[in-house]
Amino acid sequence: MFPEIVIRGISFRPALFCAPLAAITHSAFRRLVAEFGGCGGFWTEMLSAKQILNEDLRLSPYLRRRPVEGKVIYQLMVCDADRLDRVIGRLSEIAPDGIDINLACHAPTIRRLDAGSRLFENLPVLASVLKTVRGCWPGLLTVKIRLGQDTPGWEERFAERMKLFENSGVDAVVLHPRFFEDKFKRRARHELYAWAATLTRLPLIANGDITGPNTVRSNPELFKPACGLMIGRMAAAQPWAFASWDQPLKVDHADVWRRLFDYINEDFKPEIAISRIKIFTEYYAR
């Protein structure tokens, strides 16, 4: 099931990806998941593009990556094209396997910065951002999106943006088929992947309410238009979710928690580490 995808010359095997999760998908967490195996590529948690200019590339726990993590796509929170050339130039020094622009986050704090879902809505600024990133970044470029706002004309607005992605040199689209205002309260509309695929030649990575192989096997036709799957909250609840994709895996739950506890404390100062541990544990304890 989704054994491989090649995007811009980069092979991801299998085509199963770990989604960006705020305060969770840092290097310590990716290290843990990678040690289990089965994940073809990781997205970082959303990183403030301009803050990258102030980070120590060698020591920053937000930018750090370890060889065991394999392929890592750095997701950026971008509000405009200002200084993006400098941001990308600095990020290039740590050789990310790709860059992703977050156009899905609907949190009020992010919208007030004109980033995330607000950037998705602002077509002229979005076009400028994509042009700038593509002009200074020769590597893999993806975007993570939702359907937009659930108001009349959303289909036309969504199609317009899909065409923009294609014309701007984006290499793949991660689609979470919910509207912004749905948050996680309503089900992901997996039946819309087929329609979205008709709007573009770009590969689609399916995201949203995918908890394991049974999600796909129960409705295989819905996922045929996708070239890969992205798993988010289930990966936080079960860091071995990718490794156990094809067969059950017995784990010592307490040992897994302690390992991540140690990994987080290696990377973060105590006052930050405790918050990261609490956020992970809220998912894991379920």
Side-chain angles (χ1 to χ4, degrees), residues 14-85:
L16 301 176
F17 303 100
C18 184
L21 295 169
I24 292 179
T25 53
H26 39 64
S27 181
F29 177 80
R30 300 192 303 265
R31 174 185 179 184
L32 177 69
V33 175
E35 286 174 347
F36 282 110
C39 182
F42 293 93
W43 264 239
T44 68
E45 60 184 311
M46 184 171 59
L47 306 168
S48 169
K50 293 181 180 178
Q51 185 61 33
I52 289 173
L53 296 176
N54 302 316
E55 291 290 319
D56 186 316
L57 297 181
R58 294 184 303 107
L59 302 177
S60 170
Y62 307 102
L63 300 181
R64 182 174 188 174
R65 60 184 297 198
R66 294 173 169 85
V68 69
E69 296 171 37
K71 297 180 176 67
V72 179
I73 312 299
Y74 281 68
Q75 187 185 76
L76 301 183
M77 180 194 76
V78 177
C79 56
D80 55 43
D82 182 42
R83 295 193 290 175
L84 263 181
D85 55 342

Side-chain angles (χ1 to χ4, degrees), residues 262-280:
D262 290 339
Y263 294 167
I264 289 175
N265 277 292
E266 281 185 34
D267 286 2
F268 293 96
K269 295 178 180 178
E271 61 272 18
I272 299 176
I274 188 62
S275 68
R276 297 297 189 267
I277 292 166
K278 286 181 176 180
I279 291 169
F280 165 73

Side-chain angles (χ1 to χ4, degrees), residues 78-82 84 101 103 114 116 118-136 141 143 160-170:
V78 177
C79 56
D80 55 43
D82 182 42
L84 263 181
I101 306 299
L103 301 174
D114 294 325
R118 183 65 64 83
L119 178 59
F120 180 89
E121 295 166 356
N122 192 334
L123 194 63
V125 175
L126 175 57
S128 176
V129 164
L130 294 175
K131 180 180 179 181
T132 299
V133 175
R134 185 74 285 173
C136 58
L141 175 61
V143 292
E160 189 175 23
R161 280 145 183 81
M162 292 293 277
K163 184 58 64 177
L164 173 64
F165 300 148
E166 193 172 291
N167 293 338
S168 299
V170 171

Side-chain angles (χ1 to χ4, degrees), residues 236-254:
Q238 298 181 0
W240 55 88
F242 301 98
S244 62
W245 191 266
D246 293 316
Q247 58 185 6
L249 186 68
K250 295 185 67 174
V251 299
D252 181 330
H253 292 77

